[in-house]
Amino acid sequence: MIVDFHTHIFPDKIAARTIEKLERIGNAKAFTDGREQSLVTSMEKAGVDVSVVLPVVTAPEQFDTINHFAASLNEKYQDRDVRLLSFGGIHPDTPDYKKKLREIQNLGLKGIKLHPDYQNTYFDDIRYMRILDEASQLGLISVVHAGVDIGFPNHVRCTIEGILKVLKKVSPRNLVLAHYGGYGLWDEVLECVAGRDVYLDTAYIFGFIEDKTFMDILNRHGADKILFATDSPWSGQKESLEYLEKLHLNKEDFDKIVGENAENLLKVG
């Protein structure tokens, strides 16, 4: 099984203008048009079995709409060979966060996505730490955008220092630091994060991180805690798998990264 642990889709009616806007803000070119069917088509071409969809709740009032859509998407794809598996989302300003996280759990969602830049909150803010602690107790996976966001390159809200503070104060279980621990901060990731009890995903790093740095982090962190991910539509699934293959990892590590770790974490198979 091949699992892409970090993807995004947008409703058909707004996908085109959303992609156009994000391309302009981030000065990046999307690999698909951001629609659900386009992700499925990409998966079929690349041989990806499961794509984890990560919605971002940018305002508290979006909670119900986004999480109920996520649950309906999971129901739609639960018996398909090519499967979308959506996480939920929560905003740090959401009232009664414990109740809302239980709602996410009751909807059958396996985790949440946090995005400090789009939620305008530093990762080591007490509101995030409370959410992470409660999510951990409920057995939910937490995925956070870490490091630089190309749309906000001059203001990093999930820094390595902030990550270390959260790990010290909360020690959340099943925390996934997207973009290999911190986009653009990989020297600090190698020095300060690699080897700690967190997962690193590979979303939107291939072609931007040096091969040696990638391997240094892999060797220090261990393949058991690394998850293949693309950030589709911002990286191609087929292209990302090919890039990983060119690194000539041993088969055991490659299999763990592209699927086995995610299968164990998600409890799918």
Side-chain angles (χ1 to χ4, degrees):
M1 178 176 285
I2 297 177
V3 180
D4 184 344
F5 212 88
H6 189 141
T7 70
H8 304 282
I9 59 173
F10 307 99
D12 287 0
K13 63 182 180 181
I14 66 166
R17 66 176 179 269
T18 301
I19 290 292
E20 181 181 1
K21 176 183 178 181
L22 293 174
E23 285 180 331
R24 184 173 63 254
I25 292 172
N27 192 28
K29 183 66 177 175
F31 278 71
T32 77
D33 61 12
R35 294 181 301 112
E36 173 188 330
Q37 184 53 51
S38 299
L39 176 57
V40 172
T41 300
S42 169
M43 294 169 66
E44 292 171 341
K45 290 179 179 179
V48 173
D49 300 285
V50 178
S51 283
V52 177
V53 177
L54 300 176
V56 178
V57 177
T58 58
E61 56 268 23
Q62 296 176 341
F63 180 90
D64 288 336
T65 300
I66 285 177
N67 288 293
H68 284 279
F69 174 79
S72 67
L73 190 74
N74 292 345
E75 183 177 2
K76 177 180 178 180
Y77 281 90
Q78 64 180 348
D79 295 321
R80 298 192 184 186
D81 293 334
V82 175
R83 181 179 176 189
L84 301 186
L85 179 64
S86 184
F87 277 21
I90 188 169
H91 192 277
D93 291 331
T94 299
D96 198 355
Y97 68 95
K98 290 186 177 182
K99 177 183 176 183
K100 293 300 187 182
L101 286 168
R102 287 194 299 272
E103 287 182 24
I104 287 173
Q105 182 189 47
N106 291 336
L107 285 169
L109 306 178
K110 293 181 179 290
I112 56 172
K113 172 67 184 291
L114 304 174
H115 201 308
D117 297 290
Y118 282 96
Q119 295 176 326
N120 196 28
T121 306
Y122 287 96
F123 184 53
D124 57 354
D125 188 286
I126 186 63
R127 292 168 292 173
Y128 272 149
M129 288 199 276
R130 288 169 177 162
I131 287 170
L132 289 165
D133 186 48
E134 184 68 15
S136 182
Q137 293 186 48
L138 293 173
L140 296 172
I141 302 162
S142 297
V143 181
V144 61
H145 174 96
V148 179
D149 185 287
I150 61 173
F152 305 89
N154 299 317
H155 199 150
V156 180
R157 290 178 175 83
C158 185
T159 63
I160 301 304
E161 182 181 3
I163 290 168
L164 296 178
K165 181 178 176 181
V166 169
L167 295 180
K168 181 179 180 180
K169 288 184 172 293
V170 181
S171 300
R173 294 186 296 276
N174 297 336
L175 174 63
V176 180
L177 300 174
H179 313 293
Y180 218 44
Y183 184 87
L185 307 178
W186 295 303
D187 288 342
E188 293 178 69
V189 172
L190 176 61
E191 181 180 354
C192 302
V193 176
R196 295 180 181 269
D197 188 17
V198 295
Y199 289 88
L200 311 180
D201 84 23
T202 67
Y204 199 74
I205 66 166
F206 296 123
F208 302 102
I209 189 173
E210 293 184 2
D211 292 355
K212 181 181 184 304
T213 304
F214 178 89
M215 292 303 301
D216 286 345
I217 292 173
L218 168 61
N219 291 332
R220 183 171 295 181
H221 194 62
D224 290 345
K225 292 280 189 175
I226 294 176
L227 304 164
F228 172 70
T230 66
D231 208 7
S232 177
W234 304 109
S235 290
Q237 293 181 309
K238 182 174 182 291
E239 292 82 357
S240 295
L241 280 167
E242 289 173 349
Y243 198 104
L244 192 60
E245 288 169 351
K246 290 177 183 176
L247 294 175
H248 302 296
L249 308 180
N250 65 63
K251 186 177 186 304
E252 182 180 3
D253 285 352
F254 183 84
D255 289 346
K256 287 178 179 179
I257 292 169
V258 300
E260 289 177 7
N261 295 337
E263 287 183 61
N264 292 333
L265 185 56
L266 295 167
K267 296 180 174 59
V268 296

